[in-house]
Amino acid sequence: MMKKNMWSRWILALAVVWPFMAAAHDRVREKENFDFDWKFILNADDRANAGMQVSEAGWQDVQLPHDWSISLNFDPKLSGSNGHLPGGIGWYRKTFRVDKKDKGRRIAVLFDGIYSRSDVYVNGQHLGFRPYGFCYQEYDLTPYLNYGAENVLAVRVNNPLEHDSVARWYTGAGIYRHAWLVKTAEVHVASYGTYVTTPVVTAERAEVRVRTSVANEAERTKTLSVRQQITDGEGRTVVQSGKQALQVAAGQTADTEHTLEIPRPQLWDTEHPYLYTLHTAVYDGRKLVDTYETVFGVRTCEFTSDRGFLLNGKPLKLKGFCLHQDDASLGTALPLRSMERKLEICKEYGVNAIRCSHNQPSPEFLDLCDRMGFVVIDEAFDKWKSGYYAQYFDAWWQEDLKNMLVRDRNHPSVVLWSIGNELQEAWDGSDTGCRRAAMLQDFVHEFEPSRQVCLAAQNRHNEKFSGVTDVVGYNYLEARMLSDHKKFPERRFLVTEELPYYCGAEGNIRSYDTNNPWNIIAENDFIAGGFLWTGTDYIGEAGWPSHGWPAGLFDICMVEKPRAAFHRAMWNDEPMVRIAVRDNALDIDHGRDLWQWPNMAAIWNFPRAYEGLVIEVNTTTNCERVALFHNGNEMGVRRTADYPNHTITWCLPYRRGTLVAKGINGTDTVAVHEIRTAGDAVRLKATADRGKLMADGQDLSYVQVELLDKDGTLVQHADRHVKASIEGEGRLVGFISSDLRRKTPFTSHEDKTYFGRAMAIVQSTRKAGTIRLRFDVEGWNDPVWVELTSEALPKDYVSDIPSFR
């Protein structure tokens, strides 16, 4: 993730950004990656680990992001919510030096996320405790540093798994997001200290209002001035303000406000996610003491009671996935490429909206959504006064909610604030829950009024509670929502969790109606959209022997399942047809009843006992008609409109060979899908999604392996054990199939293929060179090799992800 600053761009930008270039040269603000050279130990002595002199014998060398739970062994006695993986108490230590010439500057450490209940120390001095695991934490190190000598940063992380101490899904454990060392002058823009809104947006102009919080940590009052500049996507200046005076008392923070105007603005939307950059400069007299960049977009967004969601005044039906933060062998410790890959796959599939369930995501995730064109529900909490957060709610809810609002308020992708999910208060017959919901919503309205507020409720009784927030989020209650719309036509409706296949009747959520819930969303303009639970399989919320939730449209390796054909057909205009065969004997981890599909796979290999038996075949399509051919014989042409859920049902006797489905519009065949009987597996095909990585110690390549027969057909019926190993400048994070019922840890380097596939995750080191990945298949003599290249960062490297600048 980078861009090269070519000479032409430098020349173009020189005159307009000279003050900011000068600032970089004078080192007024530096953001140093703090991910490397950490030590870690699990269940260590609390009394010793915070101090300067600690024996680190037995400590592991680790880098951030780091999730210690993902590499541990499964234990059936532990909670399935955490994937049957241990938590515990872990300690991190990092020794670092601060140059003597940095004395007089403010030095802070910024953690993007620590799960959970963290205590941070520097040189034995306790800096603070934070129980919530999803918020950023910043601590001022300045008073306690040894300049020109060694310093020790120590972090205690406590993730207990006793009853009511664990979240409802796998959260990981540790410093699972990035860390940064931030150096500024004593006078500086506060972290996340700019607030950009666009209250007036027309084709001719956009009014941009900027509020900037400037901190003064000097020992005397400062009279300062602040100037704002907006550049477009090409780095050209659009508008620049004059300097505005600001007086800030010693040890205080003060705000200044600017109003600027962008002529003929380019609007941000999901198809054209155009971004501007605000450059803030702070002066002490004539001296430039700080610069700060804020990426933002110009757009309007509104949830309405009759037209659903409006983006820039136009209805946009939200085709959404609910997503947790985890990724196969990485657990929750996700480098940038992991998130980017997942969002690329979602975008291609037709997703335009993400619900961050049930917590604020990493900052770079929102940067990617801004740039790639997703709208986002940013969610603060799962529960309030029940579960893990109950003991902390009263003391911490304001601070944790504000943390999300401050950090994420400038992201154009964020269109809705969610204050909670499936809350116990919804079932309270008193008004306590309503008062609590109103309290949180009022806080959001006062602090960040540019967006509306919702909560996600699985509530069948308390109509008043459901109507507190600006937008009503329904989890699995589409039928109830239709009734509520008639009773409360002024309310704004959204399906915050949508079942992937079945639909529940009002008063009987487990009626297993095969009318897909998306049909209800698509047919009613007043419904803003829906968010599938869940877009992808994830770790946790599991029942043994499974260690995760297997009911996603994509598996944990991000391979699209045959069951995903319906939403692909509904969410895209490109003609498509897919074949899936139904058979309850298929070895599929079915998950919980309400979120299941009938067992199906795109496979045409069955036991000899099936020969001649009638078997059900489904063809899902967005075409007008489908013609099905079995071993070259036409089985008929059927109209899609005659079948529910755009899925035509065929019954035919099983005979080995081929099935071909042709999607037809008018008289033209516009889409084709074929499945065939595979022979014995004779070779392993290995394909890397990226052959070149950056030697930054973080970059990733995902290498998929497939069992193939002599004709190149995927062999899904005879899985084999595969072992992976690595040489050169790379690290094998793990080798994993998509079967969540695995017996070895997620970070194991060997596994059995599942429906013919498995995947290796490779991470670069910080040294350029060649990476050679080897796969050995049980019973085969010849290994398969994949060669990757890790390239050194160019000297003019600039990250194009704002969080990494």
Side-chain angles (χ1 to χ4, degrees):
M1 302 306 304
M2 54 111 178
K3 56 188 177 185
K4 296 182 178 180
N5 296 320
M6 305 304 292
W7 283 110
S8 59
R9 183 168 181 175
W10 277 109
I11 294 168
L12 175 66
L14 186 61
V16 296
V17 297
W18 172 254
F20 305 97
M21 292 171 60
H25 177 73
D26 292 338
R27 299 167 62 250
V28 295
R29 175 181 287 267
E30 294 179 80
K31 186 178 180 183
E32 176 186 328
N33 185 277
F34 222 46
D35 286 343
F36 298 98
D37 305 318
W38 287 83
K39 297 282 188 178
F40 170 76
I41 195 166
L42 187 59
N43 294 332
D45 185 351
D46 284 356
R47 294 171 295 177
N49 289 330
M52 288 286 289
Q53 303 301 321
V54 174
S55 171
E56 294 179 349
W59 291 58
Q60 304 173 41
D61 294 317
V62 300
Q63 69 181 55
L64 310 183
H66 180 247
D67 170 8
W68 82 66
S69 284
I70 196 64
S71 63
L72 301 179
N73 292 316
F74 302 114
D75 185 341
K77 297 188 294 295
L78 295 176
S79 171
S81 296
N82 206 50
H84 308 106
L85 288 168
I89 296 175
W91 277 90
Y92 293 84
R93 287 173 60 86
K94 180 180 173 70
T95 301
F96 65 103
R97 299 177 72 91
V98 179
D99 201 297
K100 289 182 179 178
K101 62 186 178 182
D102 284 324
K103 199 162 187 178
R105 306 175 77 189
R106 179 192 186 256
I107 314 294
V109 63
L110 175 66
F111 294 102
D112 287 338
I114 306 174
Y115 199 90
S116 60
R117 304 166 181 85
S118 61
D119 289 273
V120 179
Y121 303 80
V122 67
N123 297 334
Q125 176 68 41
H126 185 242
L127 300 178
F129 167 72
R130 195 66 179 253
Y132 199 44
F134 300 108
C135 54
Y136 78 88
Q137 303 171 44
E138 183 180 35
Y139 297 103
D140 186 3
L141 307 180
T142 313
Y144 315 109
L145 291 175
N146 301 315
Y147 292 89
E150 286 191 343
N151 300 273
V152 175
L153 193 65
V155 182
R156 180 185 188 269
V157 185
N158 181 16
N159 187 25
L161 296 181
E162 295 85 6
H163 181 66
D164 287 339
S165 292
V166 64
R168 294 195 297 156
W169 65 96
Y170 179 76
T171 58
I175 310 177
Y176 70 105
R177 290 178 180 170
H178 294 288
W180 311 90
L181 197 67
V182 182
K183 302 178 181 180
T184 63
E186 291 181 317
V187 173
H188 56 273
V189 177
S191 292
Y192 305 111
T194 54
Y195 179 33
V196 183
T197 58
T198 54
V200 177
V201 177
T202 67
E204 291 73 32
R205 60 184 284 268
E207 181 182 298
V208 181
R209 294 182 186 173
V210 182
R211 187 172 73 220
T212 306
S213 298
V214 179
N216 175 20
E217 300 189 38
E219 294 179 354
R220 61 183 178 84
T221 297
K222 292 280 188 174
T223 300
L224 310 168
S225 57
V226 180
R227 187 178 67 190
Q228 310 287 2
Q229 175 192 40
I230 295 175
T231 56
D232 64 15
E234 300 301 315
R236 298 171 296 207
T237 294
V238 177
V239 62
Q240 182 171 289
S241 75
K243 292 182 179 180
Q244 186 172 122
L246 177 69
Q247 190 172 81
V248 190
Q252 299 297 312
T253 299
D255 294 346
T256 182
E257 297 189 1
H258 291 79
T259 300
L260 301 94
E261 185 173 300
I262 298 176
R264 302 194 63 80
Q266 295 203 53
L267 303 188
W268 184 96
D269 62 30
T270 56
E271 299 301 319
H272 183 240
Y274 194 86
L275 297 171
Y276 292 89
T277 302
L278 174 75
H279 306 265
T280 302
V282 181
Y283 297 85
D284 185 354
R286 299 184 64 181
K287 183 180 179 182
L288 182 64
V289 293
D290 197 16
T291 61
Y292 193 84
E293 283 190 0
T294 306
V295 176
F296 70 99
V298 176
R299 57 103 180 98
T300 64
C301 62
E302 182 186 8
F303 288 81
T304 70
S305 61
D306 55 348
R307 301 175 66 197
F309 174 67
L310 306 181
L311 183 62
N312 299 323
K314 300 176 182 178
L316 177 69
K317 190 71 78 171
L318 300 183
K319 304 168 183 176
F321 275 1
C322 294
L323 293 180
H324 284 314
Q325 178 175 318
D326 67 90
D327 182 2
S329 302
L330 293 159
T332 58
L334 307 188
L336 178 68
R337 175 56 190 162
S338 166
M339 304 177 200
E340 182 185 49
R341 171 180 177 262
K342 181 171 285 190
L343 288 175
E344 286 173 348
I345 293 170
C346 291
K347 190 75 174 180
E348 188 281 330
Y349 181 73
V351 176
N352 64 14
I354 303 293
R355 177 178 173 229
C356 300
S357 47
H358 304 288
N359 50 267
Q360 67 189 83
S362 67
E364 62 269 22
F365 182 87
L366 293 180
D367 290 336
L368 288 167
C369 290
D370 290 344
R371 191 181 67 179
M372 298 173 70
F374 293 91
V375 298
V376 173
I377 298 178
D378 204 346
E379 195 155 81
F381 308 113
D382 180 21
K383 303 295 188 180
W384 294 337
K385 298 200 73 172
S386 61
Y388 150 54
Y389 199 61
Q391 61 181 309
Y392 303 113
F393 179 86
D394 289 332
W396 286 96
W397 75 265
Q398 290 190 54
E399 190 69 22
D400 291 337
L401 185 52
K402 179 182 176 182
N403 186 283
M404 179 185 77
L405 299 174
V406 168
R407 197 200 69 177
D408 299 345
R409 59 191 174 181
N410 296 319
H411 288 281
S413 57
V414 176
V415 299
L416 190 63
W417 302 117
S418 172
I419 56 175
N421 173 69
E422 294 184 0
L423 301 146
Q424 189 64 35
E425 287 84 349
W427 302 89
D428 188 346
S430 70
D431 287 336
T432 301
C434 295
R435 289 194 300 270
R436 193 165 291 147
M439 176 180 71
L440 270 70
Q441 176 168 257
D442 289 346
F443 182 87
V444 176
H445 282 166
E446 181 177 353
F447 197 87
E448 204 297 293
S450 74
R451 298 168 179 87
Q452 293 159 297
V453 177
C454 81
L455 54 78
Q458 194 179 42
N459 166 35
R460 306 180 187 91
H461 306 294
N462 194 335
E463 291 180 347
K464 187 176 179 181
F465 181 85
S466 299
V468 170
T469 52
D470 302 321
V471 180
V472 186
Y474 284 76
N475 288 5
Y476 318 121
L477 297 173
E478 295 84 3
R480 165 70 183 273
M481 179 177 55
L482 295 178
S483 296
D484 281 358
H485 176 61
K486 294 177 181 177
K487 293 164 62 175
F488 309 105
E490 74 285 355
R491 290 184 179 177
R492 306 170 184 92
F493 293 91
L494 176 68
V495 179
T496 36
E497 291 182 21
E498 173 192 345
L499 289 172
Y501 184 86
Y502 295 110
C503 188
E506 185 170 7
N508 182 13
I509 194 171
R510 281 178 163 79
S511 62
Y512 302 102
D513 184 346
T514 55
N515 178 39
N516 194 286
W518 178 256
N519 293 323
I520 297 173
I521 296 167
E523 292 163 4
N524 290 277
D525 290 342
F526 74 90
I527 304 174
F531 291 80
L532 279 158
W533 194 270
T534 175
T536 70
D537 290 357
Y538 59 89
I539 306 169
E541 208 162 358
W544 190 273
S546 183
H547 309 298
W549 186 275
L553 299 192
F554 288 79
D555 66 33
I556 200 167
C557 296
M558 288 306 294
V559 174
E560 184 177 338
K561 300 178 183 179
R563 64 178 60 175
F566 171 77
H567 288 89
R568 177 176 285 278
M570 296 299 94
W571 289 357
N572 296 278
D573 295 329
E574 182 179 350
M576 58 79 67
V577 62
R578 295 287 189 276
I579 304 171
V581 182
R582 290 178 60 163
D583 182 13
N584 285 337
L586 290 167
D587 182 26
I588 293 175
D589 187 357
H590 55 76
R592 299 185 184 180
D593 62 334
L594 195 59
W595 291 264
Q596 292 177 25
W597 275 267
N599 266 15
M600 60 179 68
I603 188 173
W604 200 236
N605 279 81
F606 293 98
R608 289 187 178 275
Y610 279 52
E611 196 75 24
L613 295 181
V614 173
I615 194 167
E616 182 177 313
V617 175
N618 292 330
T619 55
T620 302
T621 187
N622 53 14
C623 300
E624 296 169 0
R625 301 185 307 284
V626 172
L628 184 67
F629 297 84
H630 182 203
N631 293 334
N633 300 312
E634 184 179 297
M635 306 305 295
V637 180
R638 297 184 180 178
R639 291 192 336 132
T640 307
D642 294 337
Y643 294 84
N645 297 327
H646 282 243
T647 299
I648 299 171
T649 302
W650 311 76
C651 294
L652 62 155
Y654 171 69
R655 291 185 177 85
R656 296 168 62 86
T658 61
L659 285 179
V660 178
K662 297 183 178 181
I664 302 168
N665 285 338
T667 59
D668 298 328
T669 296
V670 292
V672 178
H673 185 225
E674 175 181 314
I675 63 174
R676 63 175 59 239
T677 304
D680 294 334
V682 297
R683 67 185 179 95
L684 187 76
K685 178 182 178 183
T687 307
D689 71 332
R690 299 161 75 237
K692 292 183 179 180
L693 289 78
M694 291 194 302
D696 62 356
Q698 297 280 2
D699 206 5
L700 301 172
S701 180
Y702 291 79
V703 183
Q704 181 175 265
V705 299
E706 297 175 302
L707 296 173
L708 303 180
D709 70 7
K710 62 182 178 62
D711 298 319
T713 302
L714 179 67
V715 179
Q716 302 183 66
H717 65 287
D719 287 303
R720 288 180 176 267
H721 191 88
V722 181
K723 183 177 181 179
S725 56
I726 197 166
E727 300 174 359
E729 296 304 326
R731 183 172 72 95
L732 182 56
V733 176
F735 180 73
I736 184 173
S737 79
S738 57
D739 190 353
L740 288 163
R741 298 166 295 182
R742 61 186 298 113
K743 297 178 180 179
T744 57
F746 280 107
T747 54
S748 171
H749 291 182
E750 53 188 294
D751 200 2
K752 191 176 183 180
T753 59
Y754 184 60
F755 280 88
R757 295 187 176 96
M759 181 183 74
I761 305 177
V762 176
Q763 187 169 52
S764 66
T765 66
R766 288 184 285 173
K767 183 179 178 181
T770 300
I771 303 168
R772 300 191 74 214
L773 191 61
R774 170 174 171 159
F775 299 101
D776 290 278
V777 182
E778 184 179 20
W780 295 3
N781 294 325
D782 298 326
V784 174
W785 292 87
V786 173
E787 188 167 292
L788 310 172
T789 302
S790 180
E791 299 181 338
L793 299 178
K795 292 182 179 179
D796 60 351
Y797 168 79
V798 179
S799 173
D800 60 356
I801 298 298
S803 292
F804 286 77
R805 291 177 187 167

